[in-house]
Each structure stands twice: as C-alpha cells, then as structure tokens.
Amino acid sequence: FGRGCVGSCTTNGAPVSTGSGIGTSPELTGPKAQVPARECRANEPQPPAVTVTNAELQTHSTATDCWMVLGCGVYDISNYKHSGGNIVHSWCGKDGTTSFTGKHPWSYLQIMIGMNAQLVGKYGGTPVGSSVGRQNPISLAEIAQHNTPFDCWSCIHGTVYELHFYLPDHDAGSAVIEPMCGEDATAYFAMAHSMDALGGLPTKGSCDSRAEQAFTEQNILDGAALVAYIIFPMFLNEVIMAATSPATQDRLLRRPMAKPFNSQCLGNLLNSYVEMPLGVFIMLVWFLVVTAVLSVLWSIHYNTYYLPDFVLAGWVGRMTVYMISMATYLGTRRWSLAWVFYKISYEKTLKAHYVVGTVASIFMLLHGITYMASFGPENLPEHQVITAYLLLGCILIVFPFTINNFRVHCYSVFKLTHFIAPAITIIATFHILSLNVDGVLGRGFWVALVWIASASLFWIGDFIYSRYDVLLKPTVVIGTPRLLPADGGPAHISVKLRKLRSTLFPGAWMSVACREAFSPLSHPFTAIVRKCGGLDREYAEVEFIFKVNEGRTWTQRLSNAVAKLSPKEPMKFYVTGPYGGGLGSLDPMKVIIFVVGGVGVTPAASIAPYLIKGGKDVYVIWSCRSASLIQHVAVEYFSNACGSYFDRLPDHRNIHFSGKASDTHVFPPFIKTGRPDIPGIMQKAVESAMSQDIFDIGVFVCGPNALVESTLVAADQLNADKTNAHVHVHAESFQM
C-alpha cells in the first residue's frame, strides 16, 4: 500500500494525529503512556535493550535530529542519505513502518544501518492499529457515512480501517484510495495487495467480509460463461441433428441467410455482418444474447462488491476476456472451435469470427478508456501498465483494418496487421497473471485465466502446426504452371503441386502463398485433390485453379509471373492444410448433386471422382463462361477420372458453356451451350433416386449468388411437393 500520511491531516477541518498509518492512538499518546515494547520479527535487526517512549521519540523530530520507528526498533536517520531525498524526514518523530514495508523488504533495515542509520532502541509506543474499539461488526450503512478524504473508513477483509491517515502518501496517489472511502473495498484491495499492506493502519472495528463470496461468484460466472458460450451450443447442435427432421436441419443449420447488398461501400460493410449460413447466424445470435445477459450479471456483481468508480471498467474487462477468447476459437484455421466441436468449416465461420472480433475490439477499447477515465493513466498499477499499453497498441493496429471496407481495399495491410492478433491473447494472458498478490493469482481470476490461456494455446497450436506443415512437409511444383486465357470469362491459373508426407481429403481447402507473386501472405483456395497421400504414400497431389482478379491483386501478380516463367527458375509455392471443406453434413447421403459455377467447380472436380468410386450416385451441373477453363477441367475430372461413369449415365453430367461462342472453341461432345435447367435436372435426379427407394438427396452448391439462389428455389419447389423425398442443400457462395 506504500506510505502513510505526511504532515498533518484533518478530520472535518480539525487537526488529528498523523502517525503513519501508524503513529499512535490519540487516547494513548503522550509522555506518560507506558506500554510494553513492540515485539520484533525474526528477520529484523535486534535493537539494544533500551525502550524509547513516544515522549522521547517526539523530541527527535527535525531533519538534523531525526528518529523514526521502523518495525520494533527506533532508528536515528539523521545522517542517512535516502535515495528518495528529504521525503524520509516526514517521519521524524513518528512511526514510518507502513511506508517502509510498502517499498522495502525487512532485510533492507540492515542495509540502512550500513548507510549511517543507527538502531538506538526498542519502540515502546502503542501503534494505532491495535486500537480496535468495538466487538460488534460495523454496518456498511455506518461505514458509508465516512466517505470523504478527511474522514475515510473502509471495510477490508472483515476489518474497518481509517484510511484518511494514509491517502496523501499512497504510491499511486490518493485518487486510487478515495473511492474506497465509505465502501467495502475488499475485492478492489485484493487485486493488488496482500494483507501485509494493512499492517499498522488505524482500525475502528470489524465488518462483514464479503471477499470470499465475491471470489466464489466470479468463478461461478466464468464457469457459467463456459457453459453458455461453448458447451450448450455444442449440446444444442447434437439435439437438433438427432431430434429434428432433415428439412428442419436444412432450415436451421445450412441455408444461407441473406443476399449481398449492392452498394459498394455500405454493401461491403453490411455483407461482412449478415451474409452467412443460417446455422452460423443462429449461433451468432445466441452469442450476442449470452453476451448481453452476462454483461448484466457482471455489472450487478461489480456494483455489489466493488467500488463505484471501478464497476464499468471491471465488468467490461471480464466480458473482454470472453470476447477475445471466442474470437480466437472461431478464428484459427486448423484448431477452430467451430470445426472441432460443431464440424462447421473455417470458411463458414469467418463471418462469425469477424462479428465476435469486432465486439472484442470494442470491449477492449472500452475497458481501457473507462479505467483511465476513472483513475487516470498515471494511477494504473505498475505491474499492469506494460501489458495494458501493449494491448492498447495491438488493438489500435489490428482493429481499423478489420473493418470490412478497409479489409476489401487494403487486404495486404489487413493480413499483415492481423498477424499481430495472436499476440493479443498472449499479452492478455499475462495481463490477467499480473493481477496477483505476492505471486499468487487472485482467487476470482482462476477460471478467467483458463479462458484466455486456452485461447492463447489455440493460436500457438495453429501457428506451430502451420510452420511445421510448411517447413517439414515441403511443396513441389509438378510441370509448369499454366495460364488459362480470358476467352469468354476471366483468366485462370492452373498449378499442380505435390505436398510431401501429407494426407489430404477430397474437397479440402488449403492456404497457398507464392514467393514469385510477391506475396508472403497465405490465401485460402479449394484444392482438387488428385492423390490423397497418406502413410502408405510418399506424397499427396493437388491442383489449384486460381481466378485472376484484375488490378493490384495477388492473383494478377501470379499471372504476370507465370507469363514470364523461365524453366531455369521454377516457381516456389508454400502450402498448409488441409482445413475444413468436404461434403459436410451431406456425406452420408447416397445421391449427391453438384451445382457449381465458374471456378466454383473445384470442390466438385475434387470430390466427384471419389464419390463415384465409393458407389454413390453423382450428378454434376456446371455453368461456366470461360471456354479455356471448361476445356481444362471437363475431360480430366468429369470423364477420365470418373472412368465410364458419365458415359453410362450421360444425364448425370450437365456441363454448360454460358459464355460468348467462338469458332476457336472446340469442346467435347458432352459440353452443352446456354444455361442449364437446374430445376428440371434436379427433379429428374430426385425421381431417379426415389425409384431406387432413396429419399435423402444432397445438393452441394458453390458459385455466384444468383446460382446459389436459383438452386435454393428449385430445392424449395421439390420439397414442397410433399413427397417422401427431401433435398438437402449445402450452400457455399462466392460472397461468403
């Protein structure tokens, strides 16, 4: 707690005794007060067998003749040169024990003796701290009447202390102590002080201690948050899957929620929040409801147990722990909570991660602002200042570029600044660990530490895995990357890679970076898995097809590099994964219809051959306006890789060139022109499935929003026929 009162203090304008937090009780001071000498601690120097009374002590009260009480002894510090200057002379003729113990270990007394201080005898005065006047507990109502800097009582750990002696000399200033006046400040005090800091302070009696109750409630609330945010949604997901019909599952878990907004600025911003699968939206609504409820509960808790000035900053800080943790759980790739517990792929939860991360950033800033507004930046506890300012700096760098309009137009800056995001959880972990007293974390922060430390482990695990995957499972380019020209649609780049010592699965997406494209950043793309690899094979083999987006983009730079490619200088790619992907909830179904558009064909090209080999009935509906892309993909993945399957079942393969025709375009005979009749093709597929007593048909749709929308409408029409069959839709939109 630091030092006691310097100079004279007043109570309601009248002078009072100033012994340091210590000093002596007014009713016991004076030259005639004779009491036993104070007992020495084991680690204090043993004074001579001379007892110094208060009367004698007060005769040595000038800077040139200065005696002061430290522990059990009386020291002559007239010739002692204090590193803090003349402030030590404030204790001449007084008891400075509390001031001393607030800054020094007891062993420092021996150092002082070696620096010209003299131990002249034992202290025979009576410390005010022993002057507890009542046996019955003092009520909070009575304590509340003593709520000014000149008449300041506070209930701390079951004892009422007079703090007005102490305010002027507190290390962090009196402003930190003043909110404790008239309050039960146990929980506030315990965040940064041990009981030893109270030694020698004047006391008035006992009070009802609520510290243990406060700490217990804090751990209960943290545990309740764990249940509400993580365990209950996981349970609810299992209940929905087990107890509802497939149609209800589609409506609740898989269907897209909204169409994109057209406005370039407002549309980008709003799409970042609302364009997501309905299941993710429901999960997100639950998160926001739980956040609101917990915010109320924490505000009530802090209002009950903490000082008024600390209430807002306190409960906002608690909620920040959850926000940071949840944003991390949803934002890591390999170890995403949504994937591990709910099997929701990473790309599906990016919107939720964005919303939760935004809320976390706002809470972090609000916590810092409210804390400084209440106490001022100069009164931050020393052991928390470093982590507090580091967190503030990190969020001010990361948050602005996560706003969707900035992210869209400054993607490279967003990615670079987002590399700092993992540091937030790690620094926040140390920030909570700094809330300790003598190296022991406050009991009310145990579960909070579990929250934030586990989030740090998510980031660290994801980081270690990614580096291990890149460095110890290197990627080799097969052949030469190809540039598929823009003939009727956008240009595309085809790259075939071998990833050594890896096991992949069809439809997986992976993160790709390329040095020649001047991109140290990783970009997510679905891979066409040609060989899955595994323990019995040396490598996995994939093909990536990148759509070239014109402008100052990564794919445009890659396209330029491919155009200038020299056989003597092969390109270098870095690949990590696999992450998420696959058929998701459609995996058990025997009939799968792929409805894809443009480069959205990559999941179908990857998954369809494996499904066919596994005995599933597969339909492919592909609409594409790029002739070169159709020529590159159609034969290799929807003829050769599938054996004679589509030759035997020609109605199952519906590949349509929807671009502008040209005499230079020569397509295989199974390629059709114009747009496909999606409702008609799906209806024939459903009728064929029902003729085989198959009543669950899966539809995997990936492409522009118009294609996704038309597929959903067709599925709704089929499901409205009240037949026994049901069409399940797994939708992925380019906007998502």
Side-chain angles (χ1 to χ4, degrees), residues 8 50 110 250 519 533 575 584 589 609 617 646 655 716:
S8 64
V50 176
Q110 195 64 50
D250 282 346
S519 175
V575 178
M589 298 176 188
D617 204 0
F646 288 117
I655 300 177
D716 286 340

Side-chain angles (χ1 to χ4, degrees), residues 591-635:
V591 177
I592 302 294
I593 304 172
F594 289 97
V595 183
V596 292
V599 77
V601 72
T602 52
S606 181
I607 301 172
Y610 288 90
L611 297 182
I612 290 170
K613 292 176 183 178
K616 292 184 185 290
D617 204 0
V618 177
Y619 294 77
V620 174
I621 306 171
W622 179 24
S623 176
C624 180
R625 57 190 178 92
S626 173
S628 59
L629 183 60
I630 282 188
Q631 290 171 329
H632 178 74
V633 172
V635 174

Side-chain angles (χ1 to χ4, degrees), residues 214-224 298 443-448:
F215 296 144
T216 300
E217 283 190 17
Q218 289 172 18
N219 286 321
I220 290 174
L221 285 172
D222 283 332
W298 273 115
R443 295 184 294 281
F445 293 96
W446 291 345
V447 184

Side-chain angles (χ1 to χ4, degrees), residues 69 79 84 89 94 123 154 157 177 262 274 322 368 390 397 402 427 479 498 500 503 584 595 603 641 699:
V69 178
N79 298 317
H89 295 147
K94 302 169 186 172
Y123 176 52
S154 183
H157 288 298
I177 303 298
N262 293 326
V274 302
Y322 308 146
L390 284 175
I397 294 172
T402 62
I427 297 171
R498 285 179 180 172
L500 305 182
T503 301
V595 183
V699 175

